[in-house]
Amino acid sequence: MVVSPETFRKHIQWIGSEYELMGLGEWIERAINKQTLPDKACCITFDDGWQDNYEFAFPILKETETPATIFAVSHMIGTQELFWPNRLARILVHEELKNLRNDDRSWLMGIITFQLGVRPTLDQVSGTIANAKEYDDNRIQDHLNSIEDTLNISHAGNQALADWGQLREMSNSGLVEVGSHTRYHTRILPSLSEEAVSAEILGSKHLLQEQLNRPIRLFCYPNGDVTDFAKRQVEAHYEGAVTTQIGINRSDADVYAIKRMAVHDDISGRRSDLFARLSGWL
Ligand SMILES: [Zn+2]
């Protein structure tokens, strides 16, 4: 989901005229304590903590005094690492995709939604990423490492994650609340051990708290994957959590399963389109 700075600025204006823009942490706190909430509130969240959140979104948030939440991947902050969906997308548009090792080729053939050798559309790339989610992270990483070696693609990406200085500045502004998005963007699947799940959920909170010097209250499940054990851990250590489930939250919502609306430039560049999306019509 990508939105240009110009569209983002418009979103804030349009949403601000219809909804009360408030921080997610505050909304959750008021919801838990049964305090009054606006009839229509809207909270802005960003996942992954990309540097462009700092570069483009933060100045607009400051200018408009709009609160927002950024879910950062604690142990990847400041690195040039890419998450696997970005790496897979980069591979899919590579012109020499055909010359792969046999096992990588057959894995890829099992997930792609287009003909090998043809440049895929954006929808086909998204479809392929969705199919890859059937595999666990380790299997995906192994194939991606091997394919990147074969195609001579460097592991690092150009699109960097925000660094600690940038996160600290945003957090200290009082407008941006930083939440946890695990240590390594690890999807919480039933195949992960309880120890590994706890390390992701707690380890990320501890590092963020230590570095930002404030309590970390909110959590975001990578890819929306969640298990009962993970949810219990999150409930014990955080005040709320967001999912990738689409929807509106009433004041009596489960604050550990907050729904969201993903907004992409092409379906939100006009006021009517954005409101249709936010109302659940689109
Ligand atoms: Zn993410």
Side-chain angles (χ1 to χ4, degrees):
M1 301 292 136
V2 177
V3 169
S4 70
E6 298 72 46
T7 304
F8 182 60
R9 188 187 299 274
K10 285 190 218 155
H11 285 176
I12 302 231
Q13 253 168 32
W14 294 336
I15 296 172
S17 69
E18 298 275 335
Y19 297 76
E20 187 169 324
L21 278 158
M22 64 193 294
L24 179 63
E26 193 193 342
W27 190 90
I28 286 177
E29 207 178 292
R30 287 208 228 163
I32 295 172
N33 297 321
K34 308 262 178 263
Q35 287 166 341
T36 22
L37 281 163
D39 284 345
K40 282 159 72 185
C42 180
C43 308
I44 295 176
T45 63
F46 297 92
D47 286 10
D48 306 333
W50 297 105
Q51 201 157 61
D52 60 14
N53 295 169
Y54 174 80
E55 199 179 331
F56 301 111
F58 184 49
I60 299 174
L61 295 173
K62 277 195 294 191
E63 186 191 305
T64 55
E65 290 178 38
T66 305
T69 305
I70 293 182
F71 291 103
V73 182
S74 61
H75 288 54
M76 290 172 76
I77 287 168
T79 68
Q80 289 243 317
E81 292 285 317
L82 287 177
F83 305 126
W84 72 253
N86 308 65
R87 290 170 66 194
L88 179 56
R90 193 172 48 167
I91 286 169
L92 295 175
V93 299
H94 198 276
E95 57 274 16
E96 282 158 60
L97 192 52
K98 276 175 157 174
N99 315 320
L100 298 177
R101 276 178 28 186
N102 277 342
D103 57 332
D104 294 331
R105 190 189 163 86
S106 54
W107 176 73
L108 206 58
M109 292 301 284
I111 57 168
I112 59 171
T113 53
F114 54 95
Q115 234 182 336
L116 217 55
V118 177
R119 199 181 163 89
T121 63
L122 193 60
D123 273 353
Q124 288 168 329
V125 170
S126 308
T128 305
I129 290 170
N131 290 341
K133 288 175 182 173
E134 284 168 37
Y135 294 92
D136 68 39
D137 281 8
N138 287 337
R139 176 89 188 270
I140 299 171
Q141 304 279 7
D142 286 348
H143 280 296
L144 295 184
N145 290 341
S146 156
I147 295 172
E148 285 173 349
D149 275 352
T150 310
L151 299 178
N152 240 329
I153 299 177
S154 118
H155 289 230
N158 309 324
Q159 194 184 16
L161 293 162
D163 62 30
W164 285 114
Q166 294 165 334
L167 281 177
R168 225 169 268 134
E169 187 185 330
M170 291 193 281
S171 166
N172 289 342
S173 74
L175 284 174
V176 175
E177 175 158 6
V178 177
S180 161
H181 197 29
T182 72
R183 294 187 309 174
Y184 295 103
H185 207 267
T186 306
R187 289 159 61 206
I188 296 174
L189 301 172
S191 56
L192 273 187
S193 71
E194 292 191 348
E195 210 182 341
V197 171
S198 298
E200 287 299 324
I201 293 170
L202 287 179
S204 56
K205 177 183 167 104
H206 290 151
L207 185 63
L208 288 167
Q209 286 191 162
E210 197 182 288
Q211 289 287 336
L212 301 176
N213 203 19
R214 63 184 69 235
I216 299 300
R217 310 185 292 173
L218 306 172
F219 184 82
C220 172
Y221 296 96
N223 191 38
D225 292 311
V226 53
T227 61
D228 288 344
F229 175 76
K231 190 160 185 247
R232 285 199 302 274
Q233 290 284 296
V234 171
E235 282 168 359
H237 300 285
Y238 292 87
E239 288 172 30
V242 299
T243 64
T244 50
Q245 260 194 302
I246 296 169
I248 292 165
N249 305 280
R250 296 174 55 92
S251 56
D252 59 355
D254 176 358
V255 294
Y256 291 98
I258 294 286
K259 296 176 190 145
R260 293 186 292 174
M261 300 279 184
V263 176
H264 192 68
D265 224 308
D266 60 355
I267 53 108
S268 64
R270 289 185 316 178
R271 187 186 164 104
S272 54
D273 290 345
L274 177 72
F275 283 114
R277 179 79 173 178
L278 295 183
S279 323
W281 299 335
L282 255 184

PDB file of all heavy atoms in Angstrom, residues 36-62:
ATOM      1  N   THR A  36     -15.591   8.681  27.063  1.00  0.00           N
ATOM      2  CA  THR A  36     -16.275   9.079  25.822  1.00  0.00           C
ATOM      3  C   THR A  36     -15.331   9.061  24.643  1.00  0.00           C
ATOM      4  O   THR A  36     -14.179   9.482  24.729  1.00  0.00           O
ATOM      5  CB  THR A  36     -16.849  10.508  25.920  1.00  0.00           C
ATOM      6  OG1 THR A  36     -16.141  11.192  26.933  1.00  0.00           O
ATOM      7  CG2 THR A  36     -18.326  10.517  26.120  1.00  0.00           C
ATOM      8  N   LEU A  37     -15.853   8.592  23.532  1.00  0.00           N
ATOM      9  CA  LEU A  37     -15.109   8.584  22.278  1.00  0.00           C
ATOM     10  C   LEU A  37     -15.909   9.387  21.266  1.00  0.00           C
ATOM     11  O   LEU A  37     -17.138   9.451  21.352  1.00  0.00           O
ATOM     12  CB  LEU A  37     -14.962   7.148  21.775  1.00  0.00           C
ATOM     13  CG  LEU A  37     -13.877   6.319  22.464  1.00  0.00           C
ATOM     14  CD1 LEU A  37     -14.083   4.841  22.204  1.00  0.00           C
ATOM     15  CD2 LEU A  37     -12.502   6.754  21.978  1.00  0.00           C
ATOM     16  N   PRO A  38     -15.215  10.016  20.319  1.00  0.00           N
ATOM     17  CA  PRO A  38     -15.952  10.745  19.289  1.00  0.00           C
ATOM     18  C   PRO A  38     -16.877   9.794  18.519  1.00  0.00           C
ATOM     19  O   PRO A  38     -16.588   8.601  18.434  1.00  0.00           O
ATOM     20  CB  PRO A  38     -14.854  11.267  18.360  1.00  0.00           C
ATOM     21  CG  PRO A  38     -13.557  10.977  19.009  1.00  0.00           C
ATOM     22  CD  PRO A  38     -13.771  10.011  20.106  1.00  0.00           C
ATOM     23  N   ASP A  39     -17.949  10.320  17.956  1.00  0.00           N
ATOM     24  CA  ASP A  39     -18.846   9.494  17.144  1.00  0.00           C
ATOM     25  C   ASP A  39     -18.081   8.838  16.010  1.00  0.00           C
ATOM     26  O   ASP A  39     -18.267   7.681  15.707  1.00  0.00           O
ATOM     27  CB  ASP A  39     -19.958  10.357  16.529  1.00  0.00           C
ATOM     28  CG  ASP A  39     -21.003  10.701  17.579  1.00  0.00           C
ATOM     29  OD1 ASP A  39     -20.985  10.048  18.640  1.00  0.00           O
ATOM     30  OD2 ASP A  39     -21.793  11.629  17.336  1.00  0.00           O
ATOM     31  N   LYS A  40     -17.242   9.634  15.378  1.00  0.00           N
ATOM     32  CA  LYS A  40     -16.442   9.118  14.272  1.00  0.00           C
ATOM     33  C   LYS A  40     -14.994   9.511  14.495  1.00  0.00           C
ATOM     34  O   LYS A  40     -14.641  10.682  14.347  1.00  0.00           O
ATOM     35  CB  LYS A  40     -16.935   9.699  12.944  1.00  0.00           C
ATOM     36  CG  LYS A  40     -18.212   9.030  12.435  1.00  0.00           C
ATOM     37  CD  LYS A  40     -18.947   9.907  11.446  1.00  0.00           C
ATOM     38  CE  LYS A  40     -18.250  10.005  10.104  1.00  0.00           C
ATOM     39  NZ  LYS A  40     -18.907  10.961   9.195  1.00  0.00           N
ATOM     40  N   ALA A  41     -14.186   8.517  14.860  1.00  0.00           N
ATOM     41  CA  ALA A  41     -12.757   8.783  15.049  1.00  0.00           C
ATOM     42  C   ALA A  41     -11.984   8.012  13.991  1.00  0.00           C
ATOM     43  O   ALA A  41     -12.450   6.998  13.486  1.00  0.00           O
ATOM     44  CB  ALA A  41     -12.315   8.338  16.435  1.00  0.00           C
ATOM     45  N   CYS A  42     -10.818   8.528  13.648  1.00  0.00           N
ATOM     46  CA  CYS A  42      -9.981   7.832  12.681  1.00  0.00           C
ATOM     47  C   CYS A  42      -8.532   7.890  13.170  1.00  0.00           C
ATOM     48  O   CYS A  42      -8.059   8.939  13.601  1.00  0.00           O
ATOM     49  CB  CYS A  42     -10.116   8.493  11.310  1.00  0.00           C
ATOM     50  SG  CYS A  42      -9.120   7.701  10.045  1.00  0.00           S
ATOM     51  N   CYS A  43      -7.862   6.755  13.165  1.00  0.00           N
ATOM     52  CA  CYS A  43      -6.463   6.682  13.606  1.00  0.00           C
ATOM     53  C   CYS A  43      -5.598   6.275  12.412  1.00  0.00           C
ATOM     54  O   CYS A  43      -5.952   5.355  11.677  1.00  0.00           O
ATOM     55  CB  CYS A  43      -6.292   5.634  14.701  1.00  0.00           C
ATOM     56  SG  CYS A  43      -7.432   5.818  16.069  1.00  0.00           S
ATOM     57  N   ILE A  44      -4.483   6.964  12.253  1.00  0.00           N
ATOM     58  CA  ILE A  44      -3.586   6.667  11.132  1.00  0.00           C
ATOM     59  C   ILE A  44      -2.440   5.782  11.620  1.00  0.00           C
ATOM     60  O   ILE A  44      -1.806   6.078  12.633  1.00  0.00           O
ATOM     61  CB  ILE A  44      -3.042   7.972  10.520  1.00  0.00           C
ATOM     62  CG1 ILE A  44      -4.215   8.743   9.897  1.00  0.00           C
ATOM     63  CG2 ILE A  44      -1.954   7.692   9.482  1.00  0.00           C
ATOM     64  CD1 ILE A  44      -3.842  10.087   9.344  1.00  0.00           C
ATOM     65  N   THR A  45      -2.192   4.679  10.904  1.00  0.00           N
ATOM     66  CA  THR A  45      -1.080   3.793  11.273  1.00  0.00           C
ATOM     67  C   THR A  45      -0.220   3.512  10.044  1.00  0.00           C
ATOM     68  O   THR A  45      -0.716   3.465   8.922  1.00  0.00           O
ATOM     69  CB  THR A  45      -1.586   2.433  11.820  1.00  0.00           C
ATOM     70  OG1 THR A  45      -2.311   1.739  10.791  1.00  0.00           O
ATOM     71  CG2 THR A  45      -2.484   2.606  13.028  1.00  0.00           C
ATOM     72  N   PHE A  46       1.074   3.333  10.298  1.00  0.00           N
ATOM     73  CA  PHE A  46       2.019   2.940   9.244  1.00  0.00           C
ATOM     74  C   PHE A  46       2.720   1.666   9.702  1.00  0.00           C
ATOM     75  O   PHE A  46       3.175   1.590  10.845  1.00  0.00           O
ATOM     76  CB  PHE A  46       3.115   4.006   9.065  1.00  0.00           C
ATOM     77  CG  PHE A  46       2.612   5.338   8.605  1.00  0.00           C
ATOM     78  CD1 PHE A  46       2.275   6.332   9.530  1.00  0.00           C
ATOM     79  CD2 PHE A  46       2.501   5.624   7.255  1.00  0.00           C
ATOM     80  CE1 PHE A  46       1.831   7.575   9.100  1.00  0.00           C
ATOM     81  CE2 PHE A  46       2.055   6.869   6.826  1.00  0.00           C
ATOM     82  CZ  PHE A  46       1.726   7.842   7.748  1.00  0.00           C
ATOM     83  N   ASP A  47       2.844   0.701   8.825  1.00  0.00           N
ATOM     84  CA  ASP A  47       3.537  -0.538   9.180  1.00  0.00           C
ATOM     85  C   ASP A  47       4.971  -0.540   8.656  1.00  0.00           C
ATOM     86  O   ASP A  47       5.247   0.031   7.606  1.00  0.00           O
ATOM     87  CB  ASP A  47       2.824  -1.752   8.561  1.00  0.00           C
ATOM     88  CG  ASP A  47       1.523  -2.074   9.277  1.00  0.00           C
ATOM     89  OD1 ASP A  47       1.085  -1.255  10.104  1.00  0.00           O
ATOM     90  OD2 ASP A  47       0.953  -3.140   8.995  1.00  0.00           O
ATOM     91  N   ASP A  48       5.827  -1.186   9.392  1.00  0.00           N
ATOM     92  CA  ASP A  48       7.220  -1.506   9.016  1.00  0.00           C
ATOM     93  C   ASP A  48       8.240  -0.429   9.367  1.00  0.00           C
ATOM     94  O   ASP A  48       9.405  -0.734   9.523  1.00  0.00           O
ATOM     95  CB  ASP A  48       7.376  -1.840   7.516  1.00  0.00           C
ATOM     96  CG  ASP A  48       6.432  -2.953   7.074  1.00  0.00           C
ATOM     97  OD1 ASP A  48       6.067  -3.785   7.932  1.00  0.00           O
ATOM     98  OD2 ASP A  48       6.059  -2.977   5.894  1.00  0.00           O
ATOM     99  N   GLY A  49       7.832   0.835   9.449  1.00  0.00           N
ATOM    100  CA  GLY A  49       8.790   1.884   9.829  1.00  0.00           C
ATOM    101  C   GLY A  49       9.770   2.262   8.736  1.00  0.00           C
ATOM    102  O   GLY A  49      10.969   2.366   8.979  1.00  0.00           O
ATOM    103  N   TRP A  50       9.277   2.478   7.528  1.00  0.00           N
ATOM    104  CA  TRP A  50      10.159   2.878   6.431  1.00  0.00           C
ATOM    105  C   TRP A  50      10.660   4.305   6.632  1.00  0.00           C
ATOM    106  O   TRP A  50       9.984   5.138   7.229  1.00  0.00           O
ATOM    107  CB  TRP A  50       9.415   2.796   5.090  1.00  0.00           C
ATOM    108  CG  TRP A  50       8.996   1.413   4.754  1.00  0.00           C
ATOM    109  CD1 TRP A  50       7.731   0.902   4.825  1.00  0.00           C
ATOM    110  CD2 TRP A  50       9.842   0.338   4.337  1.00  0.00           C
ATOM    111  NE1 TRP A  50       7.742  -0.421   4.464  1.00  0.00           N
ATOM    112  CE2 TRP A  50       9.018  -0.798   4.165  1.00  0.00           C
ATOM    113  CE3 TRP A  50      11.217   0.218   4.093  1.00  0.00           C
ATOM    114  CZ2 TRP A  50       9.522  -2.037   3.761  1.00  0.00           C
ATOM    115  CZ3 TRP A  50      11.710  -1.011   3.693  1.00  0.00           C
ATOM    116  CH2 TRP A  50      10.869  -2.118   3.526  1.00  0.00           C
ATOM    117  N   GLN A  51      11.843   4.547   6.056  1.00  0.00           N
ATOM    118  CA  GLN A  51      12.433   5.875   6.151  1.00  0.00           C
ATOM    119  C   GLN A  51      11.523   6.936   5.506  1.00  0.00           C
ATOM    120  O   GLN A  51      11.509   8.080   5.933  1.00  0.00           O
ATOM    121  CB  GLN A  51      13.779   5.866   5.442  1.00  0.00           C
ATOM    122  CG  GLN A  51      14.666   6.977   5.909  1.00  0.00           C
ATOM    123  CD  GLN A  51      16.122   6.646   5.647  1.00  0.00           C
ATOM    124  OE1 GLN A  51      16.519   6.467   4.500  1.00  0.00           O
ATOM    125  NE2 GLN A  51      16.900   6.542   6.691  1.00  0.00           N
ATOM    126  N   ASP A  52      10.758   6.525   4.495  1.00  0.00           N
ATOM    127  CA  ASP A  52       9.898   7.528   3.844  1.00  0.00           C
ATOM    128  C   ASP A  52       8.761   8.006   4.767  1.00  0.00           C
ATOM    129  O   ASP A  52       8.204   9.067   4.527  1.00  0.00           O
ATOM    130  CB  ASP A  52       9.399   7.066   2.465  1.00  0.00           C
ATOM    131  CG  ASP A  52       8.587   5.791   2.499  1.00  0.00           C
ATOM    132  OD1 ASP A  52       8.162   5.387   3.605  1.00  0.00           O
ATOM    133  OD2 ASP A  52       8.363   5.210   1.430  1.00  0.00           O
ATOM    134  N   ASN A  53       8.476   7.260   5.800  1.00  0.00           N
ATOM    135  CA  ASN A  53       7.514   7.756   6.803  1.00  0.00           C
ATOM    136  C   ASN A  53       8.088   9.015   7.451  1.00  0.00           C
ATOM    137  O   ASN A  53       7.368   9.978   7.715  1.00  0.00           O
ATOM    138  CB  ASN A  53       7.263   6.739   7.923  1.00  0.00           C
ATOM    139  CG  ASN A  53       6.587   5.460   7.467  1.00  0.00           C
ATOM    140  OD1 ASN A  53       6.509   4.498   8.217  1.00  0.00           O
ATOM    141  ND2 ASN A  53       6.119   5.423   6.232  1.00  0.00           N
ATOM    142  N   TYR A  54       9.394   8.959   7.711  1.00  0.00           N
ATOM    143  CA  TYR A  54      10.065  10.107   8.326  1.00  0.00           C
ATOM    144  C   TYR A  54      10.222  11.243   7.319  1.00  0.00           C
ATOM    145  O   TYR A  54       9.931  12.397   7.601  1.00  0.00           O
ATOM    146  CB  TYR A  54      11.438   9.676   8.853  1.00  0.00           C
ATOM    147  CG  TYR A  54      12.261  10.826   9.387  1.00  0.00           C
ATOM    148  CD1 TYR A  54      12.033  11.326  10.665  1.00  0.00           C
ATOM    149  CD2 TYR A  54      13.249  11.426   8.599  1.00  0.00           C
ATOM    150  CE1 TYR A  54      12.772  12.401  11.149  1.00  0.00           C
ATOM    151  CE2 TYR A  54      13.987  12.498   9.074  1.00  0.00           C
ATOM    152  CZ  TYR A  54      13.742  12.984  10.350  1.00  0.00           C
ATOM    153  OH  TYR A  54      14.467  14.041  10.821  1.00  0.00           O
ATOM    154  N   GLU A  55      10.640  10.867   6.124  1.00  0.00           N
ATOM    155  CA  GLU A  55      10.972  11.864   5.116  1.00  0.00           C
ATOM    156  C   GLU A  55       9.731  12.614   4.599  1.00  0.00           C
ATOM    157  O   GLU A  55       9.754  13.819   4.448  1.00  0.00           O
ATOM    158  CB  GLU A  55      11.662  11.143   3.943  1.00  0.00           C
ATOM    159  CG  GLU A  55      12.454  12.036   3.039  1.00  0.00           C
ATOM    160  CD  GLU A  55      13.107  11.216   1.928  1.00  0.00           C
ATOM    161  OE1 GLU A  55      13.404  10.015   2.135  1.00  0.00           O
ATOM    162  OE2 GLU A  55      13.288  11.770   0.845  1.00  0.00           O
ATOM    163  N   PHE A  56       8.655  11.876   4.332  1.00  0.00           N
ATOM    164  CA  PHE A  56       7.484  12.493   3.692  1.00  0.00           C
ATOM    165  C   PHE A  56       6.264  12.653   4.605  1.00  0.00           C
ATOM    166  O   PHE A  56       5.588  13.670   4.562  1.00  0.00           O
ATOM    167  CB  PHE A  56       7.079  11.692   2.443  1.00  0.00           C
ATOM    168  CG  PHE A  56       8.164  11.610   1.414  1.00  0.00           C
ATOM    169  CD1 PHE A  56       8.806  10.406   1.159  1.00  0.00           C
ATOM    170  CD2 PHE A  56       8.561  12.746   0.719  1.00  0.00           C
ATOM    171  CE1 PHE A  56       9.828  10.340   0.213  1.00  0.00           C
ATOM    172  CE2 PHE A  56       9.585  12.681  -0.230  1.00  0.00           C
ATOM    173  CZ  PHE A  56      10.213  11.469  -0.482  1.00  0.00           C
ATOM    174  N   ALA A  57       5.969  11.607   5.390  1.00  0.00           N
ATOM    175  CA  ALA A  57       4.735  11.672   6.183  1.00  0.00           C
ATOM    176  C   ALA A  57       4.916  12.552   7.424  1.00  0.00           C
ATOM    177  O   ALA A  57       4.034  13.347   7.757  1.00  0.00           O
ATOM    178  CB  ALA A  57       4.286  10.269   6.583  1.00  0.00           C
ATOM    179  N   PHE A  58       6.054  12.410   8.088  1.00  0.00           N
ATOM    180  CA  PHE A  58       6.257  13.135   9.355  1.00  0.00           C
ATOM    181  C   PHE A  58       6.115  14.656   9.199  1.00  0.00           C
ATOM    182  O   PHE A  58       5.425  15.304  10.003  1.00  0.00           O
ATOM    183  CB  PHE A  58       7.595  12.729   9.982  1.00  0.00           C
ATOM    184  CG  PHE A  58       7.869  13.337  11.320  1.00  0.00           C
ATOM    185  CD1 PHE A  58       6.913  13.305  12.334  1.00  0.00           C
ATOM    186  CD2 PHE A  58       9.099  13.937  11.594  1.00  0.00           C
ATOM    187  CE1 PHE A  58       7.167  13.874  13.584  1.00  0.00           C
ATOM    188  CE2 PHE A  58       9.358  14.506  12.831  1.00  0.00           C
ATOM    189  CZ  PHE A  58       8.398  14.477  13.824  1.00  0.00           C
ATOM    190  N   PRO A  59       6.721  15.279   8.157  1.00  0.00           N
ATOM    191  CA  PRO A  59       6.537  16.732   8.012  1.00  0.00           C
ATOM    192  C   PRO A  59       5.054  17.114   7.871  1.00  0.00           C
ATOM    193  O   PRO A  59       4.625  18.140   8.400  1.00  0.00           O
ATOM    194  CB  PRO A  59       7.294  17.066   6.720  1.00  0.00           C
ATOM    195  CG  PRO A  59       8.290  15.961   6.560  1.00  0.00           C
ATOM    196  CD  PRO A  59       7.652  14.733   7.153  1.00  0.00           C
ATOM    197  N   ILE A  60       4.283  16.272   7.176  1.00  0.00           N
ATOM    198  CA  ILE A  60       2.852  16.572   6.996  1.00  0.00           C
ATOM    199  C   ILE A  60       2.108  16.379   8.321  1.00  0.00           C
ATOM    200  O   ILE A  60       1.222  17.152   8.679  1.00  0.00           O
ATOM    201  CB  ILE A  60       2.255  15.690   5.867  1.00  0.00           C
ATOM    202  CG1 ILE A  60       2.989  15.992   4.552  1.00  0.00           C
ATOM    203  CG2 ILE A  60       0.757  15.914   5.736  1.00  0.00           C
ATOM    204  CD1 ILE A  60       2.611  15.087   3.391  1.00  0.00           C
ATOM    205  N   LEU A  61       2.490  15.372   9.073  1.00  0.00           N
ATOM    206  CA  LEU A  61       1.865  15.156  10.385  1.00  0.00           C
ATOM    207  C   LEU A  61       2.123  16.349  11.296  1.00  0.00           C
ATOM    208  O   LEU A  61       1.240  16.821  12.005  1.00  0.00           O
ATOM    209  CB  LEU A  61       2.405  13.875  11.043  1.00  0.00           C
ATOM    210  CG  LEU A  61       2.085  12.538  10.355  1.00  0.00           C
ATOM    211  CD1 LEU A  61       2.831  11.391  11.041  1.00  0.00           C
ATOM    212  CD2 LEU A  61       0.579  12.263  10.367  1.00  0.00           C
ATOM    213  N   LYS A  62       3.371  16.853  11.249  1.00  0.00           N
ATOM    214  CA  LYS A  62       3.722  18.008  12.103  1.00  0.00           C
ATOM    215  C   LYS A  62       2.954  19.248  11.673  1.00  0.00           C
ATOM    216  O   LYS A  62       2.379  19.948  12.492  1.00  0.00           O
ATOM    217  CB  LYS A  62       5.232  18.285  11.994  1.00  0.00           C
ATOM    218  CG  LYS A  62       6.065  17.411  12.912  1.00  0.00           C
ATOM    219  CD  LYS A  62       7.490  17.931  13.057  1.00  0.00           C
ATOM    220  CE  LYS A  62       8.246  17.853  11.763  1.00  0.00           C
ATOM    221  NZ  LYS A  62       9.686  18.099  11.902  1.00  0.00           N
TER     222      LYS A  62
END
